[in-house]
Amino acid sequence: MILDNRGLQPPQPMMRTLSALEDLESGQQLTIINDRRPMFLFPELDDQGHKYEVKEQEDGSFAITITKHGVA
């Protein structure tokens, strides 16, 4: 699943991301694309036990792939 958050102002990207994660099953992945590095999202993902990988794109945006944690 890909969620394009470009063009949105904070806190909309973070709220959309967390809402989308709620709909996923444990182990599923969500890729988000943000205009900027979502610094406030990372501590929330860490607190919830999700894994994530950040890649800066050529256009300066960031693609973050999040793997949902949870009990299978």
Side-chain angles (χ1 to χ4, degrees):
M1 176 181 198
I2 296 175
L3 186 62
D4 190 343
N5 290 323
R6 291 176 288 188
L8 300 176
Q9 294 299 312
Q12 289 179 350
M14 182 170 165
M15 302 307 292
R16 288 182 78 212
T17 299
L18 294 175
S19 178
L21 279 171
E22 289 179 8
D23 294 335
L24 296 181
E25 299 293 327
S26 176
Q28 288 185 311
Q29 292 186 325
L30 169 67
T31 298
I32 62 170
I33 304 171
N34 286 20
D35 290 320
R36 45 196 158 290
R37 188 181 295 268
M39 299 309 295
F40 295 107
L41 177 63
F42 298 141
E44 186 68 30
L45 295 175
D46 290 337
D47 287 348
Q48 293 182 19
H50 304 309
K51 305 275 188 227
Y52 54 91
E53 180 181 340
V54 181
K55 292 183 182 175
E56 187 169 2
Q57 306 299 296
E58 289 183 16
D59 66 358
S61 66
F62 290 86
I64 299 97
T65 300
I66 305 163
T67 303
K68 184 171 182 174
H69 171 73
V71 178

